[in-house]
């Protein structure tokens, strides 16, 4: 494939191109990686970067995802940064109870002899170099049995764009970003062909399509007129309430203290869902959440989650306890009354403290100075409000733990599975009857130094063309009421139904 320049265009029309000098630098990086692959007799990751300016990350993702079966979109409120990743240079997989560990070990091996080139951008949020991106299912058994998404899948993208936080008042304008092209070279790879292929991918992904919708048009666009949807609750409402009663019986009998019971609404539409439009709606209607979308073969897993599992940056570790829910009120007065009930409920406070205690204990294994903010804060979302507690620690001087080690230690928290973990998960496996897939799992990224961010994948849906599986769950304790818990799940489902245009 002959080399051609790839233009990186902003919405205003300014451009910077991957010219001959960039191609030469990329080729040199690939050639050095080939030499190392031949010397070490193992695959070597090459990663080349350069600064650029980009516009709306969702626009880039919407256009670029057409060129591959695997893509990733991430917009985080934690540091304001964005990530768009296209294609796959190397997949990292795991199965069973040690699936996170298998991915971690594969990632460490891959970056051990990393070859880099080009110029790294400055002023970006935490994280450096090539990233491993992807996620993990809630239970090890889910994906193994159904095959919808793997138990564990992280991958190094062929093309990666990380963007900085837009400056105040600069929304809609290009922002500083880093383009990174990654490839794994073997002893018999052709470095010139690898470099040309990466430049070709950059051209496909970053050159605007003059026939594509503008951001404004996409925001205004609704789903196809006349589209019909058929919904099925899994399990049915009354059967699910019966499961709530069964769970509270077991809690009162002392088998476990808390369990998180989920349900699914499966929607079949007469036409495929408009995923870029859904992402636009999610981020517009859910400020303060992490918006993510993972394309893997025919499936797309997307959501707008208010909860993160763990963040690691500069050896500081952050975790979040988000447990305890009440609806939003229709008026300010009603909303305040709901908040008072949330804060004053002994049941909810107990449910919340179970989660926070687990996070503190888990971080104490690798961190010093572990603290939890008090009292819990109230996080208000479009349809519900939650109790929220931030837990913070500092990695001990002798700790080698990275973000993936902490994912393995923390997932699933009592906010997603229950407490004690083993007993709650055992009851769910025997009674829930639901393939959660990556719902209540984790999605995020890790860099080679152990920094990273992982969100808890709630307020999410798994899509396959015209079919969508929407999920919601709630934490049950001894005095949980089936009707109230069912109403809570309905409120949690509403944002994703609205994003997908399901009435």
């Amino acid at each position: 494939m002959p080399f051609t320049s790839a233009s990186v265009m902003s919405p205003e029309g300014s451009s910077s191109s991957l010219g001959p000098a960039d191609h030469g630098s990329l080729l040199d990086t690939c050639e050095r990686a080939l030499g190392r692959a031949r010397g070490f007799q193992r695959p070597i990751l090459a990663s080349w970067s350069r600064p650029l300016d980009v516009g709306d990350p969702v626009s880039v993702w919407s256009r670029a995802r057409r060129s591959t079966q695997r893509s990733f979109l991430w917009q985080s409120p934690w540091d304001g940064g964005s990530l768009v990743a296209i294609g796959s240079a190397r997949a990292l997989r795991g199965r069973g109870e040690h699936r996170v560990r298998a991915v971690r070990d594969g990632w460490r091996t891959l970056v051990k002899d990393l070859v880099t080139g080009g110029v790294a951008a400055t002023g970006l949020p935490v994280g450096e170099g090539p990233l491993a991106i992807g996620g993990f299912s809630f239970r090890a058994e889910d994906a193994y049995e159904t095959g919808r998404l793997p138990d564990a899948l992280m991958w190094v993208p062929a093309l990666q764009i990380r963007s900085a936080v837009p400056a105040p008042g600069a929304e809609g304008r290009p922002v500083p970003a880093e383009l990174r092209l990654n490839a794994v070279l073997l002893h018999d790879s052709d470095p010139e062909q690898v470099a040309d292929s990466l430049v070709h991918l950059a051209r496909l992904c970053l050159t605007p399509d003059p026939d594509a919708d503008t951001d404004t048009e996409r925001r205004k666009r609704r789903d196809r007129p006349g589209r019909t949807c058929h919904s099925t609750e899994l399990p049915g409402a009354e059967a699910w309430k019966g499961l709530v009663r069964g769970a509270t019986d077991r809690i009162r009998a002392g088998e476990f203290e808390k369990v998180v019971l989920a349900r699914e609404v499966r929607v079949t539409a007469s036409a495929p869902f408009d995923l870029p439009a859904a992402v636009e709606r999610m981020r517009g209607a859910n400020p303060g959440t992490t918006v993510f979308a993972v394309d893997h073969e025919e499936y797309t897993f997307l959501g707008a989650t208010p909860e993160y599992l763990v963040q690691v940056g500069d050896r500081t570790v952050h975790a979040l306890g988000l447990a305890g829910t009440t609806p939003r009120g229709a008026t300010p007065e009603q909303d305040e009354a709901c908040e008072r009930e949330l804060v004053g409920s002994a049941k909810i406070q107990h449910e919340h403290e179970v989660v926070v205690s687990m996070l503190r204990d888990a971080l104490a294994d690798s961190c010093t100075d572990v603290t939890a903010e008090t009292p819990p804060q109230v996080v208000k979302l479009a349809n519900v409000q939650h109790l929220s507690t931030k837990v913070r620690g500092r990695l001990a001087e002798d700790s080698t733990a990275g973000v993936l080690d902490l994912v393995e230690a923390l997932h699933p928290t009592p906010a997603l599975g229950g407490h004690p973990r083993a007993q709650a998960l055992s009851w769910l496996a025997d009674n829930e009857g639901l393939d959660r897939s990556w719902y209540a799992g984790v999605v995020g990224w890790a860099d080679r130094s152990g920094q990273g961010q992982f969100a808890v994948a709630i307020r999410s849906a798994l899509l396959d063309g015209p079919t969508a599986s929407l999920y919601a769950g709630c934490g049950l304790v001894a005095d949980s009421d089936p009707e109230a818990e069912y109403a809570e799940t309905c409120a949690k489902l509403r944002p994703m139904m609205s994003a997908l245009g399901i009435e």
Side-chain angles (χ1 to χ4, degrees):
M1 180 182 299
F3 166 69
T4 56
S5 293
S7 295
V8 179
M9 302 288 293
S10 75
E12 284 70 27
S14 62
S15 69
S16 55
S17 297
L18 295 182
D22 293 315
H23 181 263
S25 175
L26 174 59
L27 178 57
D28 173 74
T29 305
C30 293
E31 289 174 338
R32 287 187 286 115
L34 174 65
R36 187 164 294 187
R38 288 174 172 171
F40 293 163
Q41 288 298 296
R42 61 173 176 267
I44 296 294
L45 175 63
S47 183
W48 179 90
S49 62
R50 58 153 293 177
L52 77 162
D53 292 336
V54 296
D56 180 18
V58 174
S59 297
V60 177
W61 169 78
S62 176
R63 177 174 62 249
R65 65 189 290 269
R66 305 173 199 158
S67 64
T68 181
Q69 286 191 310
R70 192 173 288 164
S71 74
F72 187 87
L73 170 69
W74 175 271
Q75 286 201 287
S76 168
W78 313 330
D79 56 19
S82 298
L83 169 64
V84 175
I86 304 298
S88 178
R90 173 59 62 96
L92 306 164
R93 294 175 180 263
R95 278 185 175 174
E97 292 303 317
H98 301 298
R99 61 198 186 281
V100 179
R101 192 176 309 173
V103 168
R104 180 206 65 189
D105 292 347
W107 176 231
R108 286 179 176 174
T109 299
L110 186 62
V111 297
K112 180 180 178 182
D113 297 304
L114 173 71
V115 173
T116 61
V119 179
T122 59
L124 298 180
V126 169
E128 60 182 11
L131 304 180
I133 57 175
F136 304 91
S137 63
F138 171 71
R139 276 192 295 265
E141 299 85 1
D142 282 345
Y144 180 75
E145 291 178 351
T146 67
R148 295 207 288 175
L149 288 177
D151 275 14
L153 174 63
M154 298 194 74
W155 71 94
V156 182
L159 179 147
Q160 165 188 316
I161 301 173
R162 298 183 62 235
S163 305
V165 183
E171 289 77 6
R173 299 178 186 174
V175 296
E178 178 186 80
L179 168 67
R180 185 168 290 273
L181 301 175
N182 304 307
V184 170
L185 283 91
L186 309 177
H187 73 281
D188 58 350
S189 295
D190 181 338
E192 186 164 3
Q193 184 179 43
V194 172
D196 286 351
S197 295
L198 289 173
V199 170
H200 180 68
L201 177 63
R203 178 180 61 81
L204 288 176
C205 295
L206 298 175
T207 303
D209 181 354
D211 297 324
D213 293 336
T214 66
D215 295 343
T216 302
E217 289 169 342
R218 194 170 66 249
R219 290 188 181 100
K220 290 179 179 178
R221 187 176 69 232
R222 304 301 298 175
D223 283 296
R224 299 182 186 184
R227 191 188 68 179
T228 59
C229 295
H230 173 73
S231 300
T232 303
E233 296 188 17
L234 302 172
E238 294 309 313
W240 191 84
K241 294 172 190 176
L243 288 174
V244 174
R245 285 186 284 270
T248 54
D249 287 345
R250 301 279 64 78
I251 293 171
R252 286 191 289 269
E255 292 187 16
F256 41 86
E257 189 174 351
K258 173 188 176 181
V259 69
V260 181
L261 183 65
R263 69 186 186 93
E264 174 186 347
V265 174
R266 189 167 298 173
V267 180
T268 302
S270 58
F273 293 96
D274 186 334
L275 299 184
V279 169
E280 286 285 4
R281 292 174 197 152
M282 283 193 308
R283 69 173 181 172
N286 302 279
T289 65
T290 297
V291 174
F292 64 87
V294 181
D295 285 318
H296 174 64
E297 298 176 350
E298 69 268 34
Y299 296 104
T300 299
F301 183 61
L302 75 169
T305 176
E307 186 172 2
Y308 61 84
L309 180 69
V310 63
Q311 308 172 50
V312 179
D314 193 26
R315 298 191 67 78
T316 298
V317 180
H318 298 270
L320 181 70
L322 194 77
T325 306
T326 195
R328 297 296 305 269
T331 66
E333 293 76 18
Q334 292 175 353
D335 202 52
E336 290 179 8
C338 291
E339 180 179 341
R340 287 193 298 271
E341 182 178 351
L342 177 70
V343 173
S345 168
K347 165 190 171 295
I348 291 176
Q349 289 285 350
H350 171 66
E351 177 188 346
H352 186 77
E353 181 55 33
V354 166
V355 176
V356 175
S357 294
M358 178 270 181
L359 294 176
R360 283 196 302 254
D361 292 345
L363 292 192
D365 290 339
S366 55
C367 295
T368 60
D369 303 322
V370 178
T371 59
E373 65 176 0
T374 55
Q377 302 299 302
V378 176
V379 174
K380 293 180 180 288
L381 303 172
N383 300 95
V384 295
Q385 44 193 324
H386 300 288
L387 284 185
S388 170
T389 294
K390 296 177 181 177
V391 181
R392 181 181 180 276
R394 181 80 179 172
L395 286 171
E397 290 297 326
D398 60 349
S399 175
T400 60
V403 68
L404 288 170
D405 298 285
L406 293 163
V407 167
E408 183 176 41
L410 295 172
H411 175 64
T413 74
L416 285 306
H419 181 78
R421 179 189 287 180
Q423 291 88 333
L425 295 182
S426 177
W427 186 89
L428 288 172
D430 292 339
N431 294 276
E432 190 175 53
L434 178 68
D435 170 22
R436 293 192 183 189
S437 189
W438 282 18
Y439 164 72
V442 289
V443 173
W445 59 266
D447 74 4
R448 58 176 169 163
S449 65
Q451 301 182 114
Q453 300 177 346
F454 282 85
V456 178
I458 57 175
R459 312 300 145 77
S460 56
L462 179 64
L463 286 83
D464 178 8
T467 302
S469 291
L470 288 69
Y471 304 92
C474 50
L476 307 179
V477 291
D479 57 350
S480 293
D481 174 66
E483 295 294 339
E485 302 298 343
Y486 180 78
E488 180 180 316
T489 62
C490 290
K492 290 176 175 177
L493 286 164
R494 207 166 296 137
M496 185 54 65
M497 295 182 77
S498 177
L500 294 173
I502 301 168
E503 301 301 330

